[in-house]
Every structure is written in C-alpha cells, then in structure tokens.
Amino acid sequence: MANLIPDFDDLHALRANGEDLVGKLMNNFWQDRQIATDIKEYPDRYEVKADLPGIQKENITLHYGDDVLSIAAVQKTSSEEKDDEGRYLRRERSSSSYQRSFTMKDIDEEKIKATFDNGVLHLTLPKKTLAEQPGKTIPIE
C-alpha cells in the first residue's frame, strides 16, 4: 500500500485520466484485502490454491452450491500491555474478514477435498463425468 497519497503532479494526472484520489485509495484498499487465489483446470478436475496467511483453519468456511465456490475467512487478533499494577497502558484488537466466490460448473460436490497447510488452502474439485451430468433427451417432432 505504498504511495497511496500521490503528489500534486500525480493528482493532476489522476484527474486527467478520470480517476480521483478517493477512487484510487478505495481500489488499493479492496485489492489488498482480497484472497490471492490460483485456479488451474485439468481435464478431470480443478485445483484451487488460496493464500490465507495468519488465519487459523477453524476460521475458514468453504461452501459449494449453485455452481459457486465460496471461500470466507475471519482473522481476529488482540494484544495487551499492562503496567506493574495491572492497569492497561495499551490494549488493541482487530478483526478482518475476507471472501471470494468463483463460478465453477459441473463439479462433483461429494468428491471435493480441501487441505490447509502453512497458510495455504488447497482444494481439489473433481468434474462430473458426462454420465453424471443431469440432462434431458429432447425428442424431435
């Protein structure tokens, strides 16, 4: 998030391009809060890798339904510092939540597998075979 506050020449260039300072700040803010995700497609499956550093496994929620994979995570931290008499000199808490959703069709929901190791979430989403995909034979009149 370096250089979020541009100098005067940058501001003039931003306005000339139709982007204002607030728009740039908000774009950088939301971009930094996204889950970095890689998705690879293979003939029989999708492989998803999502970086979730500093988040505990129990604070991650995965859901697949209506052809949409959703990854949600919550991160909570707190710290305390007290003096010798137990009075707070500083006490801080923070909470952040992250969510990403991806449309992924024809997934065999029962065979989805997920692992989480060293802040990286790995998902394997097997594709349905042609025989498993629902469909309808259409008669020709």
Side-chain angles (χ1 to χ4, degrees):
M1 289 187 29
N3 298 328
L4 285 182
I5 302 177
D7 62 24
F8 180 76
D9 292 332
D10 290 338
L11 279 175
H12 181 52
L14 286 173
R15 288 193 182 108
N17 291 330
E19 182 179 14
D20 64 355
L21 176 62
V22 175
K24 182 174 181 168
L25 288 172
M26 291 308 294
N27 287 340
N28 284 337
F29 174 77
W30 289 115
Q31 187 176 23
D32 287 346
R33 297 181 62 83
Q34 287 188 353
I35 300 169
T37 307
D38 299 328
I39 301 174
K40 291 183 181 179
E41 182 177 9
Y42 296 93
D44 63 335
R45 70 189 185 285
Y46 292 97
E47 297 279 335
V48 177
K49 182 178 100 171
D51 294 338
L52 296 164
I55 296 178
Q56 302 298 315
K57 180 172 84 170
E58 52 274 1
N59 294 332
I60 301 170
T61 304
L62 303 172
H63 182 263
Y64 181 81
D66 297 325
D67 295 333
V68 176
L69 170 67
S70 296
I71 303 170
V74 175
Q75 183 177 32
K76 295 180 181 181
T77 59
S78 65
S79 65
E80 295 181 3
E81 292 183 23
K82 296 182 181 183
D83 65 6
D84 294 338
E85 297 175 15
R87 295 178 298 202
Y88 289 108
L89 296 176
R90 185 179 77 169
R91 184 176 183 189
E92 296 180 354
R93 293 160 303 285
S94 68
S95 178
S96 300
S97 62
Y98 309 89
Q99 182 167 349
R100 295 288 304 268
S101 296
F102 306 94
T103 300
M104 304 177 86
K105 296 184 177 198
D106 301 323
I107 301 297
D108 188 345
E109 296 175 24
E110 301 301 318
K111 295 181 181 175
I112 296 173
K113 294 193 184 212
T115 60
F116 187 67
D117 187 38
N118 287 332
V120 180
L121 175 67
H122 294 272
L123 287 157
T124 302
L125 298 104
K127 295 179 181 179
K128 290 180 183 177
T129 63
L130 290 177
E132 295 172 327
Q133 294 181 13
K136 176 183 176 186
T137 302
I138 302 169
I140 301 173
E141 294 181 21

